[in-house]
Amino acid sequence: MALAQAWRWFGPNDRVTLPSIDQAGARHIVSALHHIPVGEIWPVEEIQHHKNFIENNQLQLKWTVVESVNVHEAIRQGKDSRDKYIENYACTLRNLAKAGIHTVCYNFMPLLDWTRTHLNFELANGARTLRFDKTAFAAFDLFVLKREEAFGEYTPKQIERAKVYINHHSKHELRNLTNTILQGLPGTLKVLSLSEFRDLLAQYDHFTKEQFQANLKYFLEHIIPVAEEVGVNLCCHPDDPAFPLFGIPRIVSTENDLEYLVHCVNSPNNGITYCTGSLSSNAENDLCGIIKQLGHKIHFAHLRNIIREAD
């Protein structure tokens, strides 16, 4: 399998410039039309404008991968309005194909696109990184969000650690933790308020993993034929992190989940984004084993180095 080096670029306001990416040696750009709200059609003109900005210069860059065309919550939750948003999604795929872009990453994570507790964590050597601290997350879930069901989802030891965390961090630090966790809403940089997040979370009451899988299958049954028609490879990003949060089931966290994903609608265009960072957050995942079993279904890869701390 031939691999091409690509770089995620968030648009003209990204602090990492296209010349810097070119200098680093990447030749492919991974990007998206972040200004278009989730669920709306990406017009051909907007796609082409973004593509021209990337490619019409003295650099050796091409926009070849979209990350992401986000899936509307109505599709994830199986609401009556989902067919409208699936048709919009299909139109976007057709428009991307017209512009010569044939790899599209998406995810099926409920509510939040990704979750971290720290965005600028300093390592012992002075380098900075993203971090998901399970104790910090539990402290937020239990004592800031105050989700009642949470007390039955953590062990007594985890609850005690969370209490210690709360007692040893200032209001300012806890506010930063809250803002970090609540800024993973797909397609926007907005940080949710606690009340907004509680209202959104309530929409997921009583959802089962089987219901989510059925909604994913429904989406793929309708969208994969369009992907086949226009030659687009769809690749689903694993849950980030790859285990349940806030009591909501996750359905793209394990090798079994990935097997379900690629086989519920069997097509060469139905594949996965192989993200080492997300998958390795779950200690039960055998990353090499996943490649052996599903390597032919990998259309896009995120190769990240991580450190998994002891629970």
Side-chain angles (χ1 to χ4, degrees):
M1 180 189 299
L3 296 179
Q5 295 186 52
W7 194 289
R8 180 83 176 271
W9 185 64
F10 291 92
N13 294 326
D14 196 330
R15 288 182 295 175
V16 180
T17 65
L18 292 173
S20 296
I21 295 170
D22 183 71
Q23 183 184 27
R27 292 295 171 258
H28 296 259
I29 292 295
V30 179
S31 195
L33 302 187
H34 298 286
H35 62 286
I36 297 180
V38 176
E40 293 190 10
I41 297 169
W42 292 14
V44 173
E45 298 77 15
E46 293 273 0
I47 296 168
Q48 197 61 54
H49 176 76
H50 195 67
K51 194 169 191 284
N52 290 343
F53 189 91
I54 293 169
E55 298 181 4
N56 285 0
N57 47 45
Q58 302 302 310
L59 309 177
Q60 304 177 64
L61 301 174
K62 290 184 69 66
W63 183 21
T64 54
V65 180
V66 170
E67 184 181 358
S68 298
V69 179
N70 291 304
V71 177
H72 196 275
E73 283 297 304
I75 299 173
R76 290 192 178 99
Q77 295 181 25
K79 292 183 176 180
D80 292 341
S81 59
R82 65 180 170 181
D83 288 342
K84 165 193 169 184
Y85 292 109
I86 290 174
E87 181 54 36
N88 287 356
Y89 205 100
C91 289
T92 293
L93 292 190
R94 293 188 179 100
N95 291 344
L96 285 167
K98 289 175 184 176
I101 300 170
H102 296 278
T103 302
V104 174
C105 176
Y106 72 100
N107 73 70
F108 221 76
M109 286 179 253
L111 194 55
L112 295 178
D113 215 5
W114 48 268
T115 305
R116 299 289 185 275
T117 56
H118 302 80
L119 301 180
N120 198 27
F121 183 76
E122 185 171 351
L123 299 174
N125 64 2
R128 294 186 177 275
T129 186
L130 304 177
R131 186 185 191 203
F132 182 88
D133 181 335
K134 287 187 175 180
T135 297
F137 181 84
F140 168 80
D141 196 10
L142 292 162
F143 303 114
V144 179
L145 184 62
K146 299 178 181 179
R147 188 171 61 87
E148 292 183 8
E149 299 84 358
F151 286 89
E153 297 169 7
Y154 295 97
T155 66
K157 188 174 183 179
Q158 288 171 324
I159 294 173
E160 185 58 36
R161 286 176 178 171
K163 287 180 182 177
V164 172
Y165 186 97
I166 285 289
N167 292 332
H168 284 78
H169 287 78
S170 68
K171 289 183 178 180
H172 175 72
E173 290 171 322
L174 294 175
R175 190 179 305 114
N176 284 341
L177 172 66
T178 298
N179 290 341
T180 298
I181 291 174
L182 297 186
Q183 76 170 54
L185 196 67
T188 177
L189 297 176
K190 177 184 177 182
V191 177
L192 296 170
S193 69
L194 282 173
S195 61
E196 287 174 323
F197 185 72
R198 289 189 184 103
D199 289 343
L200 292 171
L201 195 58
Q203 297 178 20
Y204 286 91
D205 285 349
H206 312 301
F207 262 80
T208 65
K209 181 169 183 174
E210 291 72 24
Q211 286 175 302
F212 274 125
Q213 286 180 320
N215 293 342
L216 171 62
K217 182 179 180 181
Y218 185 93
F219 169 67
L220 292 175
E221 285 175 337
H222 287 77
I223 209 67
I224 289 300
V226 178
E228 292 174 340
E229 168 198 325
V230 298
V232 166
N233 284 330
L234 275 178
C235 38
C236 189
H237 192 288
D239 300 322
D240 191 5
F243 42 79
L245 301 177
F246 302 115
I248 306 175
R250 299 276 209 169
I251 61 169
V252 194
S253 292
T254 67
E255 184 174 336
N256 286 340
D257 292 342
L258 294 173
E259 290 276 5
Y260 176 86
L261 166 74
V262 299
H263 291 133
C264 70
V265 177
N266 194 15
S267 167
N269 301 75
N270 180 24
I272 62 176
T273 296
Y274 180 80
C275 179
T276 59
S278 298
L279 290 170
S280 60
S281 66
N282 186 329
E284 296 180 6
N285 283 329
D286 175 0
L287 271 66
C288 293
I290 290 173
I291 292 178
K292 290 176 182 177
Q293 293 299 319
L294 297 171
H296 62 294
K297 287 290 190 177
I298 297 173
H299 297 319
F300 179 41
H302 293 165
L303 304 180
R304 297 191 289 175
N305 56 325
I306 75 153
I307 297 173
R308 189 172 59 241
E309 300 172 337
D311 291 342

